[in-house]
């Protein structure tokens, strides 16, 4: 196989890896915030359920979770799987998993906020929602950015776990070509891809961090 | 007219009653200072008046109308909705440690609530905020962030932020206790200038000379009760064991 053909096939995989990455963030970042609210809820039942969810997500391998999300509907309800459901299962699996991690990060940020900020907002007449979104959340974002960066970098690498559902992203294709052509080169390309991807992520996050450095 | 009335206020933390049956009132334009030893319940009383803490007994009136009370069965009632907003608009509070919003510039700290909460026109709010900043001697700081200011400057911004909402009464909880002695003077001067404008104020302070100078009336609190109340000279020169002890400690420091 010519190198250019190989690259062409791999680049198709890159786009799909990128898709998983972006969609996972789009869903898991807001979902994580909701989950963190549940985790901090005064309602003990809700709190316990969310605690269980978080420890399940963090305590079992992501690959296993992907398999459960993908095959679960078939074994539980006899639903037909495959086709576009493969991709949906990947996004659902990743989002549920990352939401759990993000929820704990949000929680640590929210709980680290001094009570005086809430009290000042309360006295000035902000409603609870206004207080959260105008005063608390922007400061939380700044506080949790380093922890979020860590997760995002892990996510770049975790997208390769989609190979367990035989979804044709970067790593799956690299493995296929490597096996068919008995060559090591696709792995090198894959390594370069993940590395550069993460470099871009790191630079991007650093830029955001710097932007938020206008206050202490 | 009485801006604030607190009648038979009680406040308990866990099993500890911190405020025992305190009553007080503040007339329009009046300046009331509250002094007393640490732990006597001064902050708690202010936090009850500003609804940061819920009372366990008694009633609070703003502008002659009930703003919070307890029913005979002990249930506390705090109005919600539009009435709650109205009550909140009557008072402002200046904290010991400022509690400015660090992610907002000085200007935004002052103008955000009037624009977002009171829905007042932006130009008008900005114009007023600039006037307030000038009064605070901070005209050159409107684009600065709180982290770039000294403690005294932060406290003056916090005062401007409270005033921007045009409260009927302004509470101060030890506004200078977090400041170096050199910075205390500038904040006290600003508060004094507010007194000259006849702004109604309740000030909890450990600055005895200041309290004596500025106040129309002084309350000496001790162990959760009003131990002494009156004109500054009446309280400071009273033949009263506890206040003599208290002031004696101060003079020694
Ligand atoms: N949130 C709380 N939970 C339990 N106890 C509290 C709480 N807030 C205050 N107290 C107690 O209530 C009492 C009165 O406290 P408060 O802060 O009102 O005193 P203070 O007069 O303002 O003292 P200081 O001059 O030191 O500020 C103290 O014994 C304090 O420990
Ligand atoms: Mg206090």
């Amino acid at each position: 196989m010519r190198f250019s053909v190989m690259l062409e096939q791999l680049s198709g995989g890159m786009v799909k890896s990128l898709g998983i990455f972006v969609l996972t963030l789009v869903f898991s970042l807001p979902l994580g915030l909701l989950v963190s609210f549940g985790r901090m809820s005064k309602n003990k039942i809700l709190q316990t359920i969310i605690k269980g969810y978080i420890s399940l997500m963090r305590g079992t391998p992501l690959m296993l979770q992907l398999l459960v999300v993908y095959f679960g509907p078939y074994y539980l309800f006899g639903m037909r799987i495959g086709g576009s459901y493969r991709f949906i299962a990947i996004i659902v699996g990743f989002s549920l998993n990352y939401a759990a991690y993000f929820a704990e990060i949000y929680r640590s940020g929210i709980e680290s906020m001094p009570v005086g900020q809430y009290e000042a907002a309360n006295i000035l007449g902000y409603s609870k929602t206004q207080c959260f979104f105008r005063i608390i959340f922007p400061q939380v974002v700044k506080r949790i950015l380093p922890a979020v960066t860590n997760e995002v970098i892990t996510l770049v690498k975790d997208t390769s776990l989609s190979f367990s559902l035989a979804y044709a992203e970067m790593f799956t294709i690299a493995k296929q070509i490597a096996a068919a052509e008995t060559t090591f080169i696709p792995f090198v390309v894959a390594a370069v891809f993940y590395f550069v991807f993460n470099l871009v992520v790191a630079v991007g996050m650093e830029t955001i961090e710097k932007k938020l450095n206008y206050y202490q | 007219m009485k801006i604030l009335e607190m009648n038979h206020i009680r406040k308990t933390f866990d099993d500890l009653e911190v405020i025992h049956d305190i009553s007080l009132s503040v007339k329009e334009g009046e300046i009331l200072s509250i002094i007393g030893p640490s732990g006597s319940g001064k902050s708690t009383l202010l936090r009850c008046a500003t609804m940061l803490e819920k009372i366990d007994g008694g009633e609070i009136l703003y502008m002659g109308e009930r703003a919070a009370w307890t029913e005979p069965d002990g249930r506390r009632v705090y109005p919600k909705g539009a009435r709650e907003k109205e009550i909140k608009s009557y008072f402002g509070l200046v904290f010991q440690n400022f509690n400015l919003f660090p992610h907002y510039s000085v200007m935004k700290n002052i103008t955000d609530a009037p624009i977002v909460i009171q829905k007042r026109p932006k130009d008008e709010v900005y114009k007023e905020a600039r006037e307030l900043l000038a009064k605070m001697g901070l005209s050159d700081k409107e684009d600065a962030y709180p982290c770039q200011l000294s403690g005294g400057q932060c406290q003056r911004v916090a005062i401007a932020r409270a005033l921007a909402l045009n409260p009927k009464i302004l509470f101060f909880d030890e506004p200078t206790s977090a400041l170096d002695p050199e910075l205390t003077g500038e904040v006290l001067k600003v508060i004094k200038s507010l007194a000259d404008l006849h702004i109604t104020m309740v000030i909890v302070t450990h600055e005895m000379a200041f309290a004596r100078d500025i106040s129309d009336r002084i309350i000496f609190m001790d162990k959760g009760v009003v131990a002494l109340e009156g004109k500054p000279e009446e309280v400071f020169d009273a033949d009263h064991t506890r206040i003599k002890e208290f002031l004696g400690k101060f003079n020694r420091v």
Side-chain angles (χ1 to χ4, degrees):
Chain A
M1 189 187 278
R2 293 223 331 259
F3 186 63
S4 62
V5 178
M6 188 190 295
L7 267 190
E8 203 184 305
Q9 288 183 5
L10 284 171
S11 64
M14 287 180 203
V15 172
K16 292 197 160 145
S17 297
L18 205 68
I20 298 172
F21 174 80
V22 170
L23 286 178
T24 300
L25 288 183
V26 164
F27 290 116
S28 63
L29 282 170
L31 183 61
L33 188 58
L34 280 180
V35 173
S36 79
F37 289 154
R39 176 68 182 78
M40 293 180 291
S41 160
K42 287 193 190 87
N43 182 332
K44 283 277 177 253
I45 299 168
L46 179 62
Q47 202 195 82
T48 310
I49 294 172
I50 297 291
K51 255 188 186 164
Y53 159 72
I54 290 173
S55 73
L56 193 67
M57 288 293 137
R58 300 207 299 182
T60 58
L62 175 53
M63 198 192 293
L64 192 69
Q65 293 166 19
L66 290 174
L67 291 172
V68 168
V69 174
Y70 183 57
F71 291 110
Y74 170 73
Y75 286 114
L76 288 175
F77 314 111
M79 243 175 71
R80 277 190 47 204
I81 54 176
S84 64
Y85 182 65
R86 197 185 297 276
F87 182 62
I88 294 173
I90 286 171
I91 299 302
V92 170
F94 271 102
S95 298
L96 289 178
N97 179 277
Y98 272 80
Y101 283 93
F102 286 137
E104 286 299 88
I105 294 176
Y106 282 126
R107 183 169 72 96
S108 71
I110 292 170
E111 287 182 345
S112 76
M113 285 298 295
V115 65
Q117 292 287 303
Y118 292 92
E119 292 186 345
N122 176 319
I123 294 283
L124 293 170
Y126 291 85
S127 69
K128 281 216 164 81
T129 320
Q130 286 170 325
C131 169
F132 185 77
F133 286 106
R134 301 189 68 84
I135 310 300
I136 303 300
F137 192 64
Q139 298 183 56
V140 166
V141 168
K142 180 182 161 85
R143 285 172 188 228
I144 66 176
L145 216 53
V148 170
T149 302
N150 272 336
E151 286 309 317
V152 173
I153 284 174
T154 309
L155 174 60
V156 169
K157 294 176 283 181
D158 274 357
T159 56
S160 65
L161 290 173
S162 309
F163 88 90
S164 58
L165 300 189
Y167 179 70
E169 47 64 62
M170 181 69 187
F171 186 70
T172 311
I173 293 180
K175 244 177 57 142
Q176 276 168 4
I177 299 176
E181 309 277 326
T182 52
T183 163
F184 193 67
I185 293 171
F187 287 138
V188 176
V189 176
V192 171
F193 166 72
Y194 288 114
F195 186 75
V196 172
F197 193 166
N198 263 330
L199 220 54
V200 172
V201 167
V203 170
M205 296 303 275
E206 206 178 310
T207 312
I208 301 176
E209 260 180 63
K210 277 207 188 108
K211 268 225 167 102
L212 292 180
N213 261 348
Y214 69 87
Y215 73 93
Q216 242 94 57
Chain B
M1 158 168 217
K2 280 179 184 165
I3 305 274
L4 167 71
E5 250 178 284
M6 299 179 87
N7 296 323
H8 306 291
I9 301 296
R10 287 190 300 106
K11 175 68 194 171
T12 309
F13 287 118
D14 305 318
D15 282 332
L16 180 74
E17 191 164 278
V18 176
I19 304 283
H20 320 279
D21 192 15
I22 286 193
S23 299
L24 61 86
S25 67
V26 185
K27 288 197 298 267
E28 189 165 8
E30 194 179 22
I31 297 172
L32 170 70
S33 290
I34 302 177
I35 60 173
S38 186
S40 57
K42 305 180 298 294
S43 296
T44 306
L45 187 64
L46 276 203
R47 291 171 61 83
C48 286
T50 53
M51 322 274 166
L52 289 177
E53 300 286 356
K54 296 220 153 96
I55 53 173
D56 294 307
E59 59 173 6
I60 300 173
L61 289 81
Y62 276 101
M63 317 301 291
E65 284 180 56
R66 286 211 295 185
W69 64 93
T70 50
E71 296 286 354
D73 62 4
R75 200 162 45 87
R76 30 163 103 115
V77 185
Y78 278 81
K80 291 277 164 228
R83 175 69 181 137
E84 184 187 15
K85 274 196 165 169
E86 186 188 8
I87 295 164
K88 283 242 170 84
S89 74
Y90 291 146
F91 58 78
L93 170 62
V94 173
F95 297 86
Q96 182 173 343
N97 54 350
F98 336 129
N99 290 331
L100 291 177
F101 303 134
H103 60 309
Y104 283 173
S105 67
V106 164
M107 198 56 169
K108 182 128 174 147
N109 261 284
I110 298 172
T111 55
D112 196 59
I115 292 170
V116 174
I117 315 291
Q118 294 185 331
K119 309 241 184 302
R120 284 166 51 199
K122 223 177 145 177
D123 319 345
E124 179 195 309
V125 172
Y126 268 72
K127 188 167 156 279
E128 259 188 52
R130 293 210 167 90
E131 286 164 11
L132 279 170
L133 281 173
K135 217 181 278 174
M136 301 291 145
L138 292 170
S139 287
D140 53 335
K141 296 293 183 195
E142 65 175 70
D143 295 322
Y145 284 86
C147 61
Q148 299 164 323
L149 302 180
S150 71
Q153 290 169 331
C154 280
Q155 193 58 298
R156 284 182 280 156
V157 173
I159 295 171
R161 179 174 73 171
L163 287 172
L165 290 163
N166 294 312
K168 301 264 183 233
I169 179 169
L170 195 49
F171 296 93
F172 294 82
D173 191 1
E174 301 194 26
T176 59
S177 291
L179 303 177
D180 296 338
E182 317 92 86
L183 300 180
T184 299
E186 63 188 46
V187 170
L188 294 183
K189 217 171 84 193
V190 162
I191 299 176
K192 184 93 178 34
S193 76
L194 301 181
D196 297 337
L197 297 173
H198 304 291
I199 292 178
T200 313
M201 294 188 274
V202 176
I203 307 168
V204 170
T205 183
H206 286 302
E207 297 290 332
M208 293 305 143
F210 172 72
R212 183 169 192 152
D213 172 40
I214 194 178
S215 313
D216 297 309
R217 202 150 46 87
I218 290 188
I219 282 180
F220 172 60
M221 265 182 82
D222 190 25
K223 301 195 181 89
V225 299
V226 175
L228 208 56
E229 177 176 0
K231 293 208 172 66
E233 57 278 9
E234 288 168 8
V235 170
F236 279 100
D237 305 331
D239 191 20
H240 181 281
T241 333
R242 280 297 290 145
I243 193 147
K244 276 185 168 164
E245 250 177 64
F246 173 68
L247 293 173
K249 263 185 210 135
F250 260 89
N251 294 337
R252 255 179 279 129
V253 174

